[in-house]
Amino acid sequence: MAWPDDQDLQVEVAAAFGADRKADPGTWAWADLSSRLLADPIQIRAGKSSGARFTSPSSCTVTLDNTDGALTPGHPISPYWPNVRLGTPLRVRVFWDGVWNTRFAGFADQWEPTFLPTTNGTESATRITAYGPLQRLGQSRGAQSPMRRTIGATAPLAYYPAEDGILATAAGSAVPGQPALVISGTVGFDGNYDTGAYRLGAAALADLAAGGSLSVRLTAAVTVATQSRWTVHTFGAFDLAYSAGDIVLMEWTTPGGTFTRWRLVELQSTTHTQVIAYTAAGAATVVIDQSGAQGGYRTWAVSAEQVGGNIHVSYWLDSNTSVLTGSVAGTLGGVASLTVNQSGTTSSEPMPFGHLAVWATNQMPYEVGYTLDSYG
């Protein structure tokens, strides 16, 4: 947009003190700070610098009068106390041709006290530096979500949070020595759909709605360690009403056992959840069958243990108490690979998944219900 050079423009600087940054910005209450504008120019930067590989976060620096101390963080008599703090939403708008045009919208990163010279000495001011949403996304890549910290503390043999961020092209291992997840098909990491994951303590997950899948072939050490007992796990969300068919939530292989392949599958036609074991010849045995599809944001896990000549199986759903158990004759094999959405099922709604994990135990190693309640 070209701005006129021959006329002054009305400028508004506003802050949303105390705003809930997770709420719709349309609900924020804005405090007009325009009357505090000083002679220092407003500096706004946006876009990608010449030669840069990625776009830098937009930024804005504005200097406001603070002779009354209202813009001093922690000042108890400020009308904005206690909300003069980092992360406060800030916007700059220009009124032209009958319309308010937003020139910057972001979050305060610095409230810097300063003094500006005047004809009579100096005046107290606050220089606010704010950055656009891309800055917050960049910062979040360095933080670990509550769910990642919880699962990571249980010493899994293999663990893949799939919280790799908006620029990710791969999903790395949270356990040293394990390979990265293999991404097949189209998988998104933008996380714009993932408010439910945040509410439950996870960061933005990999979206498999376009039919993508996540898989890994584990090291031999994991297979050996899980020879007599194992638990496989994932967290995510789906809705069979919007999917193109059955969803294989998890498929894992156990070579050397009576059953060399296992599946946790959601059946669209019958809305049942099943744990199915397959022999090397492809013969299938339904070990656990639960009526009702278990959609929405959930944690799913399946455990198995060798007990005499039988394999005892437990199915866990949002709980450290098994939902159902089953038993089948045979010899257990260790886990060699794990895949989420092996069926490549598509969905017209987001289908985020992550937190793939493998343990050498036949119990849920963390209290899922407590975690979900704590961050719900």
Side-chain angles (χ1 to χ4, degrees):
M1 177 181 293
W3 305 104
D5 296 326
D6 58 348
Q7 59 183 283
D8 292 332
L9 295 174
Q10 184 180 351
V11 178
E12 178 201 72
V13 176
F17 294 105
D20 180 358
R21 291 178 295 173
K22 294 180 290 185
D24 183 346
T27 66
W28 295 347
W30 292 94
D32 189 349
L33 305 177
S34 307
S35 62
R36 296 178 177 271
L37 274 170
L38 296 175
D40 267 18
I42 298 174
Q43 299 178 15
I44 297 176
R45 295 182 176 88
K48 186 168 66 173
S49 301
S50 177
R53 184 178 179 186
F54 299 115
T55 300
S56 299
S58 58
S59 66
C60 175
T61 301
V62 59
T63 305
L64 302 177
D65 176 74
N66 192 34
T67 53
D68 60 355
L71 301 182
T72 301
H75 193 356
I77 65 171
S78 166
Y80 311 119
W81 185 88
N83 296 313
V84 181
R85 56 192 178 191
L86 301 183
T88 296
L90 183 82
R91 77 181 180 196
V92 176
R93 300 194 301 177
V94 174
F95 191 76
W96 180 57
D97 200 22
V99 177
W100 281 105
N101 300 274
T102 300
R103 303 300 295 147
F104 174 83
F107 304 89
D109 190 69
Q110 185 177 31
W111 301 80
E112 178 190 1
T114 189
F115 293 91
L116 297 182
T118 67
T119 55
N120 298 319
T122 60
E123 63 181 338
S124 176
T126 292
R127 183 173 290 116
I128 305 172
T129 300
Y131 290 95
L134 189 59
Q135 174 81 354
R136 295 179 66 203
L137 290 172
Q139 290 173 339
S140 68
R141 290 198 298 271
Q144 292 188 355
S145 70
M147 185 168 285
R148 176 169 178 172
R149 296 197 304 270
T150 299
I151 296 176
T154 64
L157 297 176
Y159 178 36
Y160 300 89
E163 297 178 341
D164 298 79
I166 191 170
L167 299 178
T169 56
S173 170
V175 175
Q178 292 298 323
L181 284 177
V182 174
I183 296 176
S184 301
T186 301
V187 176
F189 284 91
D190 57 33
N192 293 331
Y193 49 82
D194 236 348
T195 55
Y198 292 124
R199 180 174 60 83
L200 297 176
L205 303 172
D207 185 14
L208 310 183
S213 65
L214 305 173
S215 62
V216 62
R217 181 166 295 278
L218 303 166
T219 62
V222 173
T223 306
V224 171
T226 55
Q227 191 68 47
S228 61
R229 61 180 61 87
W230 43 251
T231 295
V232 294
H233 171 282
T234 192
F235 167 79
F238 72 91
D239 190 331
L240 281 177
Y242 298 100
S243 71
D246 299 345
I247 301 175
V248 180
L249 295 181
M250 291 190 289
E251 178 173 294
W252 57 104
T253 59
T254 54
T258 302
F259 302 98
T260 59
R261 181 167 56 96
W262 299 72
R263 279 184 167 184
L264 174 64
V265 60
E266 297 284 348
L267 302 174
Q268 188 180 60
S269 58
T270 61
T271 62
H272 275 223
T273 304
Q274 293 184 339
V275 177
I276 307 173
Y278 297 85
T279 66
T285 299
V286 177
V287 183
I288 290 177
D289 182 87
Q290 182 186 30
S291 61
Q294 308 303 324
Y297 278 90
R298 318 296 292 261
T299 60
W300 295 271
V302 177
S303 301
E305 180 184 27
Q306 187 73 50
V307 180
N310 294 320
I311 302 171
H312 285 193
V313 181
S314 297
Y315 167 53
W316 318 80
L317 177 69
D318 294 346
S319 174
N320 64 333
T321 301
S322 61
V323 176
L324 290 173
T325 60
S327 184
V328 61
T331 301
L332 193 64
V335 180
S337 68
L338 177 63
T339 302
V340 171
N341 197 29
Q342 186 278 339
S343 51
T345 303
T346 60
S347 173
S348 59
E349 291 291 314
M351 200 163 73
F353 273 89
H355 297 285
L356 288 68
V358 178
W359 294 271
T361 177
N362 66 322
Q363 297 288 326
M364 272 298 299
Y366 74 101
E367 197 170 348
V368 183
Y370 176 79
T371 301
L372 296 183
D373 289 344
S374 298
Y375 300 103

